[in-house]
Amino acid sequence: MTTAAERSPRTYQVRTYGCQMNVHDSERISGLLEQAGYVRAGEVDDNPDVVVFNTCAVRENADNRLYGNLGHLRPVKDKHPGMQIAVGGCLAQKDRGDIVRKAPWVDVVFGTHNIGSLPVLLERARHNAAAEVEILESLDVFPSTLPTRRESTYAGWVSISVGCNNTCTFCIVPSLRGKEKDRRPGDILSEVRALVDEGVLEVTLLGQNVNSYGVAFGDAGEPNWKRSGGRSAFAELLRACGDIDGLERVRFTSPHPKDFTDDVIAAMAETPNVCPSLHMPLQSGSDDVLKAMRRSYRSERYLGIIEKVRAAMPDAAITTDIIVGFPGETETDFQRTLDVVREARFSSAFTFQYSKRPGTPAATMDGQLPKQVVQERYERLIACVEEITWAENKRLVGKAVEVLVAVGEGRKDERTGRMSGRARDGRLVHFATGAAGANGRPGDAGSLAGSIRPGDIVHTRVTYAAPHHLNADGEPLSHRRTRAGDAAEAGRSPRTPGVLLGLPTVGAPAAAPAPTTGCAAH
């Protein structure tokens, strides 16, 4: 008889689609599963015991992508009895029981409001040999109270709010993530400090609309965070992050132009560790389209914010989101978007073709545009954006930049002999680790070659600019080893334990007996 000690722990794999919110939610899913005794599957493991899909519902093809992936996984599951498939995230919140109806081999469906229930639902589905579908209509516990397995040793996501109170006609997010719920500033700052104590150098504050943060605090016992000294709670939060020793970089995403106030700009400019970068969605440069989108600001207001940001931080890099082909968009409307792009001088832009989402007001609007019209405008927008981003990047050639060395940013690094990371303004930099060779290619003769780790800080000089990145092919000017680099070298990832607030927990799940042959099949 096989003893418990001879059994192998069950393995898991999380597949993530969508925005930074989903990426951070997947860190929590991993933390929950590991707390419950699961072990992350190796990168080459095609047969984990549990596969979790953390889904997105923003794009039109999100449904097809999910069901296509589920279809590919069905024969794998058929060959591996005991394997479980779970589907969570925004698409699960939207489709609910339809997922099990369309893909009856799925074991668990959970929504955006009850991530913490996943281990219990998996165990219940195994015990009952039946699918478990649990979708809540409102937040169970704030997600950041859950245990988290961080993916990076040097940078961390920190949620300051969940949900959204806006009513943009193209967006399905508020109906899936609910009304905005803000987290207490003390809890946020405690999590930031815990990450810094683990060696993290950079945090990104996350929210659907970060600069509306704290609007309800005045009625909930937080008098010091309600427009203290004429400053908003979000500005206060940025300043408080500036007081945390060891925290070198602070970013945030995403603000809404309608709520963007001068005190936030002042806090950005006056807090040394807040990075000179701003991601602020435009969506359209046409006032008529913005009105139809129910965006509640106009292009003049948007450009005014950018002007103020650049007056306070002349070197700030500003990025944005733009939608092409919204219902009723005319050629004149589109030209106005191009005008705003040229005036704003974005360093980067995430561009999207309008995607009809059932349940949103825009899905039933008149003036839905033909695909070929949207595609042609999209291509013109891409060309316009790249012309500007290339010109903006060329201005940095010859300048010194501080780079936080990263993992996975440079797909060609191994072939080119470079490493990659992000400058303080968020730009991607590929840099040489040694002196350049005679042919101008990065070399390995420098004294720093081989000693730079992910999480370390490098100062280098830009030698070349492309539309989406910078190259620095001379030997780095300096290299600072960091605690984050130490953690990366040791293979450690930060973990924040969280507080389960009364959620039921389960121990290590029962595992299949260890294989008696030389092959491990999961």
Side-chain angles (χ1 to χ4, degrees):
M1 181 176 179
T2 304
T3 66
E6 296 173 319
R7 297 179 178 180
S8 302
R10 286 173 62 81
T11 60
Y12 77 92
Q13 181 184 90
V14 182
R15 303 183 185 180
T16 308
Y17 307 99
C19 66
Q20 298 98 326
M21 292 285 189
N22 271 21
V23 173
H24 190 27
D25 283 348
S26 289
E27 292 183 327
R28 298 188 184 106
I29 290 169
S30 296
L32 282 160
L33 291 175
E34 293 190 5
Q35 184 187 63
Y38 294 82
V39 175
R40 175 173 288 194
E43 292 185 8
V44 296
D45 187 351
D46 295 328
N47 306 310
D49 297 307
V50 174
V51 177
V52 183
F53 291 90
N54 189 12
T55 63
C56 173
V58 171
R59 308 307 298 159
E60 188 172 14
N61 66 354
D63 309 57
N64 294 336
R65 188 177 186 186
L66 170 66
Y67 292 113
N69 286 327
L70 289 175
H72 289 308
L73 205 54
R74 182 176 189 178
V76 178
K77 182 178 180 182
D78 289 342
K79 293 178 182 178
H80 297 85
M83 182 181 186
Q84 290 183 291
I85 301 172
V87 179
C90 289
L91 193 61
Q93 188 77 23
K94 179 176 77 72
D95 284 3
R96 306 182 177 222
D98 287 347
I99 293 175
V100 173
R101 180 177 60 80
K102 295 177 181 178
W105 55 96
V106 169
D107 299 277
V108 170
V109 178
F110 63 104
T112 59
H113 300 308
N114 65 321
I115 291 173
S117 300
L118 176 59
V120 173
L121 294 174
L122 287 168
E123 189 70 10
R124 192 182 300 159
R126 292 181 66 214
H127 180 272
N128 296 336
E132 291 288 332
V133 179
E134 183 177 286
I135 305 292
L136 302 185
E137 298 302 326
S138 59
L139 199 63
D140 188 3
V141 297
F142 200 96
S144 288
T145 63
L146 303 176
T148 305
R149 183 193 194 279
R150 305 282 176 168
E151 296 299 324
S152 171
T153 61
Y154 49 85
W157 309 104
V158 177
S159 289
I160 69 170
S161 64
V162 293
C164 183
N165 293 337
N166 294 314
T167 57
C168 302
T169 55
F170 59 83
C171 187
I172 198 170
V173 169
S175 65
L176 302 179
R177 289 194 175 264
K179 292 293 186 181
E180 181 176 327
K181 182 177 178 60
D182 294 338
R183 194 175 172 201
R184 292 294 168 191
D187 294 339
I188 296 169
L189 295 172
S190 292
E191 182 176 353
V192 173
R193 292 188 189 98
L195 287 171
V196 173
D197 287 345
E198 295 271 358
V200 166
L201 303 182
E202 175 181 303
V203 298
T204 299
L205 305 177
L206 284 180
Q208 298 295 151
N209 180 10
V210 291
N211 49 353
S212 66
Y213 171 75
V215 294
F217 285 166
D219 299 324
E222 296 274 2
N224 294 332
W225 286 77
K226 183 187 179 184
R227 302 283 170 182
S228 174
R231 296 200 295 257
S232 68
F234 185 61
E236 294 281 10
L237 184 61
L238 290 177
R239 293 179 185 275
C241 286
D243 294 332
I244 297 177
D245 290 338
L247 179 59
E248 299 192 19
R249 294 183 175 191
V250 178
R251 304 188 191 279
F252 59 88
T253 193
S254 290
H256 195 295
K258 76 177 179 67
D259 297 311
F260 211 107
T261 52
D262 291 350
D263 61 296
V264 172
I265 298 173
M268 292 174 66
E270 296 166 9
T271 309
N273 63 359
V274 175
C275 293
S277 62
L278 172 64
H279 181 79
M280 185 169 66
L282 169 66
Q283 308 302 7
S284 175
S286 163
D287 290 350
D288 289 340
V289 173
L290 289 172
K291 182 178 179 180
M293 289 178 168
R294 211 180 290 159
R295 288 291 288 175
S296 65
Y297 59 89
R298 299 297 176 257
S299 59
E300 182 178 2
R301 159 77 172 156
Y302 186 94
L303 290 169
I305 295 170
I306 290 180
E307 183 178 359
K308 290 179 179 180
V309 169
R310 290 205 168 114
M313 294 170 287
D315 295 327
I318 298 173
T319 61
T320 196
D321 298 333
I322 301 172
I323 296 173
V324 174
F326 188 80
E329 180 189 74
T330 65
E331 177 63 24
T332 300
D333 292 325
F334 176 68
Q335 286 294 334
R336 182 56 185 146
T337 294
L338 296 182
D339 291 342
V340 174
V341 168
R342 293 186 184 104
E343 189 170 349
R345 310 295 299 176
F346 296 115
S347 64
S348 179
F350 297 92
T351 53
F352 306 92
Q353 298 184 36
Y354 168 72
S355 180
K356 183 189 294 187
R357 303 307 292 139
T360 62
T364 57
M365 285 182 175
D366 295 334
Q368 304 285 332
L369 299 183
K371 171 66 176 177
Q372 61 270 26
V373 172
V374 179
Q375 181 67 35
E376 190 271 338
R377 289 179 185 171
Y378 179 75
E379 291 171 1
R380 279 192 283 158
L381 174 63
I382 291 293
C384 178
V385 168
E386 291 200 346
E387 177 185 350
I388 290 165
T389 58
W390 198 358
E392 290 298 301
N393 282 353
K394 286 178 179 177
R395 294 172 54 227
L396 297 175
V397 173
K399 294 190 176 182
V401 291
E402 177 195 279
V403 180
L404 174 56
V405 185
V407 174
E409 296 277 20
R411 289 175 294 178
K412 301 178 181 178
D413 282 354
E414 185 173 347
R415 178 163 58 84
T416 62
R418 298 186 180 102
M419 296 182 74
S420 298
R422 295 281 170 176
R424 288 189 63 82
D425 65 6
R427 283 182 168 91
L428 176 61
V429 181
H430 304 302
F431 64 93
T433 59
N439 62 356
R441 303 284 292 179
D444 59 1
S447 60
L448 300 179
S451 66
I452 301 174
R453 298 100 35 103
D456 284 352
I457 296 291
V458 167
H459 286 83
T460 188
R461 196 173 301 279
V462 178
T463 58
Y464 170 80
H468 304 293
H469 68 268
L470 304 171
N471 283 0
D473 285 337
E475 186 170 355
L477 304 174
S478 67
H479 166 221
R480 174 162 56 90
R481 295 171 70 87
T482 67
R483 290 175 60 210
D486 295 342
E489 191 172 36
R492 298 193 308 270
S493 293
R495 281 173 167 79
T496 45
V499 181
L500 288 180
L501 301 180
L503 278 177
T505 60
V506 295
T516 55
T517 67
C519 263
H522 296 291

